[in-house]
Amino acid sequence: MLAIGAGAIALVVLALVVRLGGAFSETAVPGLSQAGALTKTGLVTARLGGNAAAVLTVGWLLVAAVFVPGTPAARRCRRAASLAATAWAACTLALIVFTLLDLFGVGVTGVTGDMMRTFLVELPQGRALLLVLAAAVAVSVAAGLPGGEHRAGNGAGYPLAAALAGMLPPLFTGHAASGANHTLAVYSLVAHILGVALWIGGLVALVTVAPAVGDRLPRVAYRYSGLALVSFAVVGASGAVNAWVRLGGVHLGSRYGALVVAKAAALAVLGAIGWWHRRATLPALRDGRGARPFLRLGAVEVLVMAATMALATGLSRTPPPEVAPGTLDVVALRLGYPLPGPAGAGPLLLDWWIDPLFLVLVAGGAVLYGTGVARVRDWPWRRTLAWAAGLLVVLLATCSGISRYSMVLFSVLAVQHVLVGLVAPVLLLYGAPLRLALKAMRGEGGPLLAAAAASRGVRVLGDPLVASALLLLSLYVFYLSPLFGASLANHALHSLALVVFLGVGLAYFHGTAGTLMPFAVLPLHAIAGIALMRHGTVLGGWYEHLGRRWGASPPDDQHLGALLLWTGAAAVTLAVAAAHGLRGHGLQGRGTRSTTRLSASTTVGSYSEAESSRSRSSTAAPRSRSPESPTRSS
């Protein structure tokens, strides 16, 4: 009954939004051939169905992996997630067909093989939908595999990550990716979608699986309530930022603005329901007064969420206010900001351009690490200093003038790559954040983090051969691939590429610490770097079309950038390898371990030992200890 009611409400709200919002207008998408009303109706319906199925998939996997792992309820959640992912794949397939019909303005009988190949292979929107389809099929298969109860998180961790990632590709090709403030628009939308998926999907899964949870329901509901509060804040803030970018300020007189106001009102209603949960239904669960009030209010909340999702789907098809003609600078539109002046030490350090993704990552890393240091009072100051230095390097590389000029000069882009992918990982690993987190975390977060650190995926990424291959691919082959040009044309993809470089650098220095692999890779740095320097054409087709009239020519600047890239990479890897070699020869004392390498088994072992120590200390009789006692030292 809940599913039928939610579906009916969603369809009614969607019909009203697309009708009143102007999605059926003949001028909704100027410059493109207009399809019929049947195609447009099928398009928005398939999109709503795909969004709902994706959110349900995430919710079931979230409950299975985080809230009720290792229980029969978790197995039920995995089976439900597999079915939801199958529906997600079917809706995505329908969305591909209807989008093709809408794009070319033809009926089903008019579709040709060339149209389908052009859409799925050559157009970014088609490639994004193809990635979503592949992710949905993979999640459906992985979630339905038997035997997951014997793995950490009931085998739902990897499908959950894949489901969350599968929702993102269309966001990098839509209106937000091509408008002003590219990065802010895209990543505010990414945060919005992920927050919605975890919030709504988790609630639906929790309400429907509650009878199978039994006595664990109060604790699970309280843990979900914390996640819901964070998701509510993320959804509200990211939605406001995205609406501001799309509207260019407070312009509520348009249809788009009116729908934004309606969506904000729905969010306020959901916030009020969540407040009532925390005030009334959750205490009732905790005091043993039954789950009926929680489930009843949760069902009402699900219905409101269904209407809000339909409103958001219709909003995505509503044309935003038009920009006045003659007010756009083509170069500024491509870059996201006006073309800067000549580069120099002052502009590179002082002419900041904030990358919102890395600003959030750096701020979050500083807050979380500082919280851990406050809890673990005897944490070495050298590790804290190294972590702070690593965050500062990332901040300078992604938010200072280096970030602004990386889109204008290949040489500055190479410096940014070396700083983010090589220098920062060394400093961050020396800060030992994983070890600090395992010492500082309480409750059920520690086992989840330890299980993630010991997972097969982390072990594979930390393998010296795999990590070395990924580093060489990210340093040199990336610039020769189509991804390089796409990352320059799309700021959000550029930020995402830098996140990948940072992750690859962490995996490389973690996996090769104490081995001879860095020395073996050094000649490959020189070979690949020299080959990149001798490349005859300007890579990416980006820099030569900006109209820059100062500095070196694009070919000369590219040669300089390639030289900086491979010499910087070789110097950093050689310095780190030499430092590990000296440490391995006992220059810092026998028995000293590598400070940047922390294997998965060591991580889990350290966590288990710490938990055992806490248990022993909590049950043992109190006694006086000297400052040098073993208990205090451990």
Side-chain angles (χ1 to χ4, degrees):
M1 293 300 296
L2 181 62
I4 294 174
I9 290 176
L11 290 176
V12 170
V13 172
L14 180 65
L16 292 174
V17 171
V18 296
R19 185 65 181 177
L20 300 177
F24 283 172
S25 172
E26 294 298 325
T27 60
V29 188
L32 297 180
S33 57
Q34 298 296 308
L38 181 61
T39 297
K40 294 180 179 180
T41 302
L43 180 63
V44 294
T45 304
R47 178 164 295 175
L48 176 61
N51 292 342
V55 166
L56 291 177
T57 303
V58 169
W60 291 117
L61 293 173
L62 174 68
V63 171
V66 177
F67 295 120
V68 292
T71 64
R75 291 193 291 273
R76 291 183 57 185
C77 288
R78 289 182 61 225
R79 289 194 295 267
S82 179
L83 294 176
T86 302
W88 183 15
C91 291
T92 304
L93 190 60
L95 184 60
I96 290 175
V97 174
F98 283 118
T99 304
L100 179 67
L101 300 181
D102 182 62
L103 181 64
F104 290 99
V106 298
V108 177
T109 57
V111 176
T112 63
D114 289 338
M115 289 182 182
M116 185 65 71
R117 183 192 61 80
T118 301
F119 178 65
L120 295 178
V121 177
E122 299 182 9
L123 297 182
Q125 189 178 9
R127 292 196 297 264
L129 290 176
L130 197 59
L131 288 175
V132 174
L133 178 61
V137 172
V139 170
S140 176
V141 174
L145 290 176
E149 62 272 10
H150 302 298
R151 300 194 294 272
N154 279 73
Y158 291 125
L160 174 60
L164 290 171
M167 301 178 69
L168 303 183
L171 307 183
F172 290 86
T173 61
H175 297 294
S178 59
N181 301 308
H182 318 316
T183 313
L184 184 61
V186 170
Y187 279 111
S188 62
L189 196 55
V190 168
H192 195 76
I193 294 299
L194 295 182
V196 165
L198 295 174
W199 181 18
I200 299 180
L203 178 66
V204 174
L206 184 59
V207 168
T208 52
V209 82
V213 175
D215 296 337
R216 301 180 62 180
L217 181 60
R219 182 170 57 86
V220 171
Y222 265 98
R223 291 179 62 199
Y224 166 77
S225 178
L227 174 65
L229 180 61
V230 174
S231 299
F232 173 78
V234 170
V235 169
S238 59
V241 170
N242 195 264
W244 180 277
V245 173
R246 294 292 298 274
L247 292 172
V250 183
H251 300 292
L252 305 180
S254 63
R255 294 178 177 180
Y256 191 93
L259 292 178
V260 168
V261 172
K263 189 178 176 184
L267 183 65
V269 172
L270 291 173
I273 294 176
W275 172 79
W276 187 253
H277 267 303
R278 298 178 71 89
R279 179 175 179 177
T281 64
L282 292 180
L285 277 177
R286 180 190 57 199
D287 298 339
R289 286 178 281 165
R292 187 177 298 274
F294 170 78
L295 296 179
R296 187 177 299 158
L297 186 60
V300 174
E301 190 174 6
V302 169
L303 296 178
V304 178
M305 286 177 170
T308 308
M309 283 191 63
L311 177 60
T313 302
L315 184 64
S316 67
R317 293 292 298 173
T318 301
E322 296 183 3
V323 179
T327 60
L328 293 178
D329 182 352
V330 177
V331 175
L333 185 62
R334 297 186 70 190
L335 285 175
Y337 47 84
L339 183 67
L348 287 174
L349 293 178
L350 302 178
D351 195 5
W352 282 50
W353 187 76
I354 303 298
D355 187 314
L357 175 62
F358 277 96
L359 182 63
V360 171
L361 291 178
V362 169
V367 170
L368 292 176
Y369 197 92
T371 303
V373 171
R375 289 187 176 183
V376 183
R377 298 180 181 178
D378 57 347
W379 188 249
W381 65 269
R382 294 185 300 274
R383 297 197 181 277
T384 304
L385 184 61
W387 179 262
L391 292 181
L392 180 60
V393 169
V394 173
L395 184 67
L396 289 175
T398 58
C399 296
S400 69
I402 296 175
S403 175
R404 182 184 296 272
Y405 280 89
S406 67
M407 306 299 293
V408 181
L409 294 171
F410 184 90
S411 56
V412 179
L413 179 67
V415 172
Q416 183 187 48
H417 193 161
V418 171
L419 291 175
V420 173
L422 296 170
V423 177
V426 176
L427 297 170
L428 294 175
L429 283 174
Y430 191 85
L434 184 58
R435 191 178 305 172
L436 174 63
L438 291 175
K439 285 187 175 183
M441 293 186 74
R442 303 291 185 267
E444 300 182 6
L448 288 175
L449 181 60
S455 62
R456 183 179 302 174
V458 174
R459 293 199 304 270
V460 170
L461 289 177
D463 182 81
L465 288 175
V466 175
S468 300
L470 290 176
L471 182 73
L472 292 173
L473 289 174
S474 67
L475 280 175
Y476 307 109
V477 180
F478 168 76
Y479 293 99
L480 301 174
S481 70
L483 291 176
F484 176 58
S487 68
L488 292 174
N490 190 314
H491 283 249
L493 285 179
H494 181 71
S495 300
L496 193 61
L498 290 177
V499 172
V500 173
F501 297 156
L502 179 61
V504 169
L506 292 170
Y508 174 76
F509 289 110
H510 164 79
T512 61
T515 70
L516 297 177
M517 185 59 67
F519 295 101
V521 172
L522 277 176
L524 298 179
H525 281 296
I527 295 173
I530 293 173
L532 190 61
M533 288 177 61
R534 300 182 61 181
H535 200 275
T537 60
V538 178
L539 301 173
W542 171 266
Y543 292 107
E544 69 269 34
H545 296 141
L546 293 178
R548 176 172 56 85
R549 301 183 181 277
W550 48 263
S553 64
D556 293 339
D557 180 65
Q558 180 173 296
H559 294 160
L560 175 61
L563 177 63
L564 294 173
L565 184 67
W566 81 264
T567 55
V572 174
T573 53
L574 179 60
V576 174
H580 282 298
L582 293 176
R583 188 177 297 113
H585 283 83
L587 295 185
Q588 292 188 354
R590 293 184 178 181
T592 302
R593 291 185 181 182
S594 165
T595 58
T596 60
R597 184 174 178 84
L598 184 63
S599 65
S601 59
T602 303
T603 301
V604 179
S606 301
Y607 177 78
S608 301
E609 183 180 355
E611 287 298 304
S612 300
S613 176
R614 290 173 190 155
S615 299
R616 289 194 300 269
S617 62
S618 63
T619 56
R623 58 181 180 179
S624 61
R625 294 194 302 265
S626 65
E628 300 299 326
S629 65
T631 304
R632 183 177 180 86
S633 175
S634 63

